[in-house]
Amino acid sequence: MRELFKNIFGTKPKQSKDDAKQRLKFLLIHDQVDLTPGQLEQMKAEIMEVIARYVEIEGDHGTEFKLAREDGHVALVSSIPVRRVVERAAS
Amino acid sequence: MSECIVITSGKGGVGKTTTTANLGVALARSGAKVAVVDADIGLRNLDVILGLENRIVYDLVHVIEGECRLKQALIRDKRAEGLYLLPAAQTRDKNAVTPAQMRELVRQMKEEFDFVLMDCPAGIEQGFKNAIAGADRAIIVTTPEVSAIRDADRIIGMVEAAELPEPELIINRVRPRMVASGDMMNKEDILEILAIPLLGLVPDHEDVIVTANRGMPAAFDDESIVGEAYRRIARRVKGEKDVPELVLDHDTSFWATLKRWMGLAPTREVAG
Ligand SMILES: Nc1ncnc2c1ncn2[C@@H]1O[C@H](COP(=O)(O)OP(=O)(O)OP(=O)(O)O)[C@@H](O)[C@H]1O
Ligand SMILES: [Mg+2]
């Protein structure tokens, strides 16, 4: 009966193809970028270190750092909130 | 202008041989001179799908080892003008030939044929390397499943690493009802992930099994929807633009009709 109801009103719970897609995206990123979670963390720490030389950043708070896949290519997508530019001696 | 197209997938059993046979038939029936080559050495199959198994005298390895001439090994399919099969050896293995030998074989075949279709074995090892060695172009076959698409992605990378042009995709074994209910990834989902051009969809259909039983590919049958899917794919392979999409199935069940009538179901059909 519940099935019938769902059918009539076309309201479906989460579709299994969405699971498939989600899992695939994750799989393909990790097939392509063969890094362990530990290596990813280290890369993040090192990149943050370099950025901190130029701008003042919020620290880990509000920082986003992830691998994403678009058009068959993996991209490193990050959003790092900046507080202000670090004062530097005029060159 | 002639070209060699390799039909590959990574994952086994997704429909490479079915596709090679049907595309070969459809291209030949459209007037092209076509050779289909079974590069699955040791696991010969294409001859059976085409119903030509009783006519084999020589095979690909015989040609490469110089035991016979190419012309002697080619089997002419009497049902379609211009269609020929070069069978695989059944009692040898993939290491019986090298990529350089395959390149030379293909070069020779391209002098005779408009299209040389290479049925690639599953996997990414020697058999795959041999099959893509002489290819100008690649078609990737996948099914709408996580494992097949994952392997397809891997193969796309390898095709690009081999400096072939961007491969094109055939999505096989599509079940329109499952796509409509959200239990099977649709072509947009798959194209978003694999990001290569689409040649077409082929429905999951009993015609494939019946035609395999008979050794008479669906592309010979003007009534078959599978045959029609491959005929449209063949037109796209030949470069024809704007080939209309084939509506794979229209759900005519009572509930589907009612839902459509009430505007509750997506009116978009599964087509490709
Ligand atoms: N569209 C389809 N509908 C129904 N059955 C299909 C379809 N496509 C393929 N099959 C079935 O799937 C099986 C595998 O097909 P096929 O031999 O073409 O795959 P393959 O990729 O060549 O396999 P292999 O990797 O072993 O060479 C066959 O039994 C075939 O009948
Ligand atoms: Mg096969």
Side-chain angles (χ1 to χ4, degrees):
Chain A
M1 193 61 209
R2 235 185 65 154
E3 271 305 308
L4 184 68
F5 201 73
K6 270 190 287 187
N7 265 328
I8 293 173
F9 292 99
T11 47
K12 289 247 159 50
K14 195 162 186 288
Q15 301 184 315
S16 75
K17 72 136 180 172
D18 295 329
D19 289 331
K21 210 169 152 188
Q22 209 55 45
R23 290 173 62 218
L24 245 176
K25 282 185 172 171
F26 186 82
L27 259 174
L28 293 189
I29 287 171
H30 290 273
D31 282 352
Q32 211 163 328
V33 182
D34 201 7
L35 289 177
T36 64
Q39 286 170 316
L40 266 175
E41 270 309 305
Q42 183 172 352
M43 177 169 76
K44 175 180 167 182
E46 286 176 23
I47 289 174
M48 299 285 280
E49 207 180 289
V50 172
I51 291 172
R53 277 187 226 147
Y54 297 88
V55 291
E56 197 174 319
I57 50 184
E58 299 270 1
D60 249 6
H61 197 70
T63 308
E64 216 192 313
F65 208 85
K66 64 171 194 227
L67 292 168
R69 218 179 118 96
E70 247 167 65
D71 276 356
H73 297 283
V74 173
L76 183 61
V77 180
S78 68
S79 161
I80 304 167
V82 172
R83 213 175 272 149
R84 61 188 172 87
V85 175
V86 173
E87 295 288 339
R88 272 182 299 168
S91 54
Chain B
M1 189 206 70
S2 64
E3 54 182 3
C4 173
I5 308 177
V6 61
I7 288 92
T8 183
S9 68
K11 186 171 173 357
V14 299
K16 296 177 291 296
T17 302
T18 304
T19 294
T20 308
N22 279 286
L23 193 54
V25 169
L27 284 169
R29 290 185 78 206
S30 78
K33 202 169 175 207
V34 184
V36 291
V37 181
D38 192 343
D40 203 343
I41 298 169
L43 291 169
R44 175 198 277 177
N45 263 172
L46 188 53
D47 54 332
V48 177
I49 298 298
L50 282 164
L52 299 173
E53 69 272 19
N54 293 327
R55 295 184 41 211
I56 298 177
V57 181
Y58 297 109
D59 60 49
L60 182 150
V61 176
H62 290 130
V63 176
I64 279 179
E65 292 183 343
E67 281 176 50
C68 70
R69 283 175 298 113
L70 174 62
K71 281 216 164 65
Q72 293 175 286
L74 285 169
I75 300 163
R76 188 169 76 85
D77 191 325
K78 294 172 186 143
R79 300 163 301 184
E81 173 83 33
L83 180 62
Y84 291 78
L85 164 72
L86 181 60
Q90 180 67 340
T91 55
R92 305 291 296 271
D93 71 62
K94 327 234 177 250
N95 302 316
V97 297
T98 65
Q101 288 172 323
M102 288 298 283
R103 260 194 299 278
E104 171 54 24
L105 175 70
V106 168
R107 191 198 57 72
Q108 207 182 325
M109 294 186 81
K110 276 164 63 181
E111 289 174 3
E112 298 285 326
F113 295 97
D114 301 319
F115 291 99
V116 177
L117 304 184
M118 191 69 70
D119 181 15
C120 184
I124 53 174
E125 289 90 24
Q126 187 66 25
F128 167 75
K129 290 184 179 128
N130 285 338
I132 68 161
D136 302 300
R137 199 173 152 185
I139 292 176
I140 313 281
V141 182
T142 191
T143 58
E145 291 164 297
V146 174
S147 52
I149 295 170
R150 180 197 200 178
D151 289 0
D153 182 74
R154 182 93 199 276
I155 287 292
I156 291 168
M158 297 185 82
V159 164
E160 281 165 357
E163 296 186 350
L164 291 180
E166 184 174 47
E168 292 159 297
L169 188 69
I170 292 176
I171 305 173
N172 186 27
R173 309 201 73 157
V174 175
R175 294 196 189 195
R177 306 259 163 118
M178 291 187 74
V179 171
S181 70
D183 278 321
M184 182 176 267
M185 282 182 276
N186 60 32
K187 74 174 176 207
E188 287 81 11
D189 295 324
I190 296 169
L191 293 177
E192 181 190 325
I193 286 167
L194 293 179
I196 57 171
L198 180 69
L199 278 173
L201 310 186
V202 180
D204 188 66
H205 201 283
E206 58 192 41
D207 277 3
V208 174
I209 294 155
V210 174
T211 57
N213 287 342
R214 301 210 168 111
M216 182 87 176
F220 278 119
D221 180 356
D222 291 331
E223 305 296 313
S224 166
I225 187 158
V226 173
E228 185 57 25
Y230 280 112
R231 280 189 289 276
R232 295 198 191 191
I233 288 170
R235 286 162 65 186
R236 297 183 187 117
V237 165
K238 287 175 103 177
E240 192 178 324
K241 302 273 176 247
D242 308 319
V243 179
E245 290 190 343
L246 177 66
V247 176
L248 295 192
D249 181 44
H250 198 65
D251 192 347
T252 51
S253 69
F254 174 69
W255 286 117
T257 311
L258 182 66
K259 264 161 69 178
R260 264 196 304 277
W261 181 69
M262 292 168 72
L264 286 169
T267 46
R268 264 199 54 253
E269 295 146 327
V270 178

